[in-house]
Amino acid sequence: MEVCGATALSWTHTVSIPLHVSLPLSKRGTRRLSVWCASDQTQKANQMTVSITGATGFIGRRLVQRLHADNHSVRVLTRSRSKAELIFPVKDFPGIVIAEEAQWKDSIQGSTGVVNLAGLPISTRWSPEIKKEIKTSRIRVTSKVIDLINDLPDAVRPTVLVSATAVGYYGTSETQVFDEQSPSGNDYLAEVCREWEGTARKVNKDVRLALIRIGVVLGKDGGALAKMIPLFMVFAGGPLGSGKQWFSWIHLDDIVNLIYEALSNPSYKGVINGTAPNPVRSAEMCENLGNVLGRPSWLPVPDFALKAVLGEGASVVLDGQNVLPVRAKELGFSFKYSYVRDALQSIISEKAA
């Protein structure tokens, strides 16, 4: 995701750091000329301190890696210190702060920005209890983060909150095209997203809020591909259901880059769709995955089989929406992967390396 301009540094130099050069100006002695360079000062000015919920998840892990690699300070807000320490060992992530809930306020205080990614995964069998937990896990953490931010004095309050939401906000359709101005749907996931976003919008008005409606994230270590690739490798891969449903996807590097840019670029605010510019239908997605893996995509998974395994949760993969990243393109965001075949080839070659 290095295509973003967030890490670019100015080459303008001003007076800041002394470099002493002795020049012979006369036979009787020398004079010392002081030359100053602003590079270090500029770099420090661009450094952020970022507190992250959901940092141990699929997107969160890559975001932490990216921020740490760019010398930003990272504070992991977690409910399990032991899990976070396994994922972010001190030898690989020196200086990282891992804070359990009792320490969240101290971590958020003085942070440049907060990223809120926490929430129970939705790709599971939905019982009434699970549906309740899917919603409450998002609302509870978001509400806690908002309260902590709002209770801080102005001088130590973060200036930006990047809060995740999902393209499920729009409901499902095989014919409609959705952008950031489209109304919300009327199904369960749309309801979850509305309440999730509504909670985030309660943040202090002086805090810049970016709501990222995230599509299906493609990467090598999790998400949809982690479940699909093994099936294709044993020649059991194919379209899910009819194959006509839309698949609004985004490469893991691009969603991390979008969040990174939203943290550092003041123009990024309000709703921004976190999807690639070229959604595909499920059958095309599976055909491309089969081609990249050198496996056929001939064995469709019927609706009834998915519903038997996932119950109502099968709607996550059987229904879809065609979502376009209009706002991101208006902001000049540069996608590293605009086409699903390129994204899949990159991910599979990364797995093989």
Side-chain angles (χ1 to χ4, degrees), residues 15-38:
V15 177
S16 63
I17 302 172
L19 173 66
H20 301 305
V21 182
S22 295
L23 298 174
L25 299 178
S26 71
K27 292 182 179 179
R28 294 185 178 181
T30 62
R31 295 182 182 178
R32 192 167 60 186
L33 175 66
S34 292
V35 181
W36 300 76
C37 173

Side-chain angles (χ1 to χ4, degrees), residues 209-222:
L209 173 63
L211 291 165
I212 312 294
R213 290 180 184 154
I214 301 174
V216 180
V217 180
L218 303 181
K220 74 183 184 73
D221 295 322

Side-chain angles (χ1 to χ4, degrees), residues 140-254:
R140 187 190 71 83
V141 174
T142 304
S143 182
K144 181 179 180 68
V145 168
I146 297 304
D147 288 344
L148 292 174
I149 290 174
N150 291 349
D151 287 344
L152 289 172
D154 293 349
V156 291
R157 183 182 296 125
T159 59
V160 56
L161 169 64
V162 181
S163 197
T165 171
V167 295
Y169 174 91
Y170 301 109
T172 63
S173 175
E174 287 187 7
T175 57
Q176 286 182 270
V177 177
F178 301 100
D179 62 23
E180 289 86 352
Q181 301 301 316
S182 300
S184 181
N186 55 14
D187 58 14
Y188 164 70
L189 288 180
E191 176 187 317
V192 170
C193 292
R194 284 196 303 273
E195 293 192 31
W196 195 5
E197 293 183 16
T199 303
R201 291 182 191 276
K202 295 177 182 177
V203 73
N204 184 286
K205 62 180 177 59
D206 293 327
V207 177
R208 177 169 57 85
L209 173 63
L211 291 165
I212 312 294
R213 290 180 184 154
I214 301 174
V216 180
V217 180
L218 303 181
K220 74 183 184 73
D221 295 322
L225 280 185
K227 298 177 180 179
M228 295 172 72
I229 289 173
L231 294 174
F232 276 82
M233 294 307 293
V234 296
F235 298 89
L240 304 176
S242 70
K244 295 178 181 179
Q245 68 272 35
W246 283 100
F247 193 85
S248 292
W249 61 277
I250 187 168
H251 191 287
L252 178 59
D253 284 351
D254 278 333

Side-chain angles (χ1 to χ4, degrees), residues 26 92 123 128 149 179 187 197 224 235 239 248 258 266 287-288 296-297 312 332 335 352:
S26 71
D92 298 325
S123 55
I149 290 174
D179 62 23
D187 58 14
E197 293 183 16
F235 298 89
S248 292
L258 187 64
E287 182 181 359
N288 275 282
S297 176
E312 192 181 351
F335 287 88

Side-chain angles (χ1 to χ4, degrees), residues 3 10 12 34 47 61 63-64 87 113 115 141 146 186 206 308 310 312:
V3 294
S10 169
T12 303
S34 292
Q47 286 178 345
R61 294 184 193 196
L63 178 62
V64 170
I87 294 172
V115 178
V141 174
I146 297 304
N186 55 14
D206 293 327
L310 296 176
E312 192 181 351

